[in-house]
Amino acid sequence: MPDRALNRICYVEDDEDIQRIVSMALERIGKMTVSVVSDPTKAIDAMLAFKPDLVMLDWMMPMIDGPTLF
């Protein structure tokens, strides 16, 4: 299987300060396209629409935690 670049990241995080720091690092340093989802109940729909190469999940979120989401 050929190596595939990670260009599109879907980041599910409810904390706005952490969202900004992580997405800024991924976009500016990693040159990646990042879709940030604040509401874990909307994460699956956002992933299906965005079609990311990688999904990053917050471990502890209200309503649904990262491990439960998948």
Side-chain angles (χ1 to χ4, degrees):
M1 178 179 235
D3 289 334
R4 184 173 151 182
L6 298 177
N7 296 317
R8 298 171 62 82
I9 310 295
C10 183
Y11 181 44
V12 183
E13 170 64 62
D14 63 312
D15 185 300
E16 290 181 21
D17 292 331
I18 297 173
Q19 284 176 7
R20 273 184 248 141
I21 292 167
V22 172
S23 62
M24 181 176 57
L26 291 170
E27 291 169 348
R28 290 185 184 177
I29 298 168
K31 306 293 186 216
M32 299 173 186
T33 302
V34 180
S35 172
V36 177
V37 182
S38 300
D39 183 346
T41 63
K42 298 178 182 176
I44 299 294
D45 289 336
M47 289 177 223
L48 291 171
F50 185 65
K51 296 180 179 37
D53 299 318
L54 176 73
V55 175
M56 295 174 52
L57 295 171
D58 183 357
W59 188 266
M60 295 186 308
M61 294 181 284
M63 298 168 277
I64 302 173
D65 61 16
T68 302
L69 190 59
F70 280 94

